Amino acid sequence: MTDATPPQPAPDGGPDFDSMTRDIADVPAVEVITTVAVHLMSSAAVNLGLAEEGEQHKDLDEARKLIHALAGLVTAAATEVGNYHAAPLRDGLKSLQLAFREASVVPDEPGQGPGEKFTGPVYG
């Protein structure tokens, strides 16, 4: 995130929260938003069974929640982060929405899948 040196422990051995707070204040909002979005995407992909040994981690209920949250974040933040950052997030979201439909035994109708309340219907 930044090139700053890692926070040093406080004198009592615990984390130095003052130093950590100053570090996070230096991180641009667009970087925080995109980092959170990437974490949501990664977690959703794992829960869709798209990782190595994916079937053992597959949980479509969890994937639905993550994709829905991602769609809300991407939709709400798109105007704030600009098209340069929003476009790849929207592409990743659409890919996850389509992967969810494909992974489902009984796929949702277009417009009813995870996050489609925010994005509109997603077609392959």
Side-chain angles (χ1 to χ4, degrees):
M1 291 202 187
T2 66
D3 293 331
T5 47
Q8 300 299 315
D12 65 358
D16 182 2
F17 291 112
D18 289 335
S19 176
M20 292 169 67
T21 301
R22 282 190 301 274
D23 287 345
I24 197 70
D26 295 334
V27 179
V30 67
E31 192 170 332
V32 174
I33 292 166
T34 55
T35 299
V36 170
V38 168
H39 283 291
L40 289 168
M41 283 183 188
S42 298
S43 185
V46 168
N47 281 286
L48 284 171
L50 300 176
E52 280 188 37
E53 302 175 21
E55 285 301 315
Q56 74 184 46
H57 301 291
K58 192 172 184 178
D59 185 338
L60 294 183
D61 186 49
E62 290 294 302
R64 178 184 291 277
K65 293 172 190 172
L66 292 160
I67 295 168
H68 191 77
L70 175 63
L73 175 63
V74 169
T75 302
T79 58
E80 300 299 323
V81 301
N83 196 50
Y84 177 79
H85 296 285
L89 296 177
R90 283 192 294 264
D91 291 345
L93 171 59
K94 181 178 179 181
S95 294
L96 289 169
Q97 290 171 311
L98 292 171
F100 183 90
R101 184 167 288 129
E102 187 175 305
S104 299
V105 175
V106 179
D108 296 318
E109 292 293 320
Q112 302 301 309
E116 292 182 32
K117 161 183 166 179
F118 300 111
T119 64
V122 175
Y123 300 98

